[in-house]
Amino acid sequence: MTSKDEVRGDISRARRARGEPERERARVEIRRWALQGLAALALPAGARVACYEPLASEPGSIELLVELHRAGYEVIVPITQQDKDLDWAVWTLTRQARRPLGLSAIATASVVFVPAFAVDRQGHRLGRGGGSYDRALTRVRPQTPLVALLFDGELIDDVPVADWDLPVTAVITPQGWQEVGPGGTPEQAMKHHC
């Protein structure tokens, strides 16, 4: 099996090689599937959704945060602490207006969108490598959907796993929302919510 750093390096190079028009087309589809997937979950009005502000090369987008907010969800985003743990704040366009909610705020989220370089069909997620999300995800309530946002080709057969890595339950690619992990099959993709 290849190492985590090797997989991260391969995917980083592939992400940089994507042109901005290709990345933007993928982000539009990911946004569409995310909103349709949340609608299918029938969350109550004002439900809290944990998300993240993506790096320029990542499949997430600020537009996703805007659309989640417009759809009536309360969006929280991480604030990385000095020890690399994650505090949370209600997302606003202005960072200065954000107030920390505490490390346990992620436990109040109905759905958690997480960054990833890759996910395998068992739900193993390869993150950025700092361990911040691995710590934060230990605070999530059982049965809360943990959803990784990926470009095409980043749902792979095998991700290197460490003892502390926590799996996700679904991925969103430009092709749709797909359940992963035990019981997750391609047939469980939420493509029927178009």
Side-chain angles (χ1 to χ4, degrees), residues 66-83:
V66 170
E67 291 298 321
L68 290 170
H69 178 75
R70 282 188 189 149
Y73 301 108
E74 182 183 51
V75 180
I76 62 172
V77 293
I79 303 169
T80 304
Q81 301 300 291
Q82 201 165 10
D83 66 355

Side-chain angles (χ1 to χ4, degrees), residues 80-141:
T80 304
Q81 301 300 291
Q82 201 165 10
D83 66 355
K84 303 293 185 206
D85 208 342
L86 300 179
D87 197 338
W88 298 85
V90 174
W91 178 78
T92 61
L93 282 170
T94 308
R95 287 181 185 260
Q96 293 79 10
R98 299 177 192 168
R99 299 290 173 256
L101 299 170
L103 302 179
S104 62
I106 193 171
T108 63
S110 297
V111 175
V112 179
F113 290 114
V114 298
F117 276 104
V119 173
D120 67 21
R121 300 196 186 280
Q122 293 74 44
H124 301 126
R125 178 187 76 93
L126 180 64
R128 294 176 182 161
S132 299
Y133 266 89
D134 293 313
R135 274 194 270 178
L137 294 178
T138 64
R139 301 180 187 107
V140 174
R141 291 175 302 192

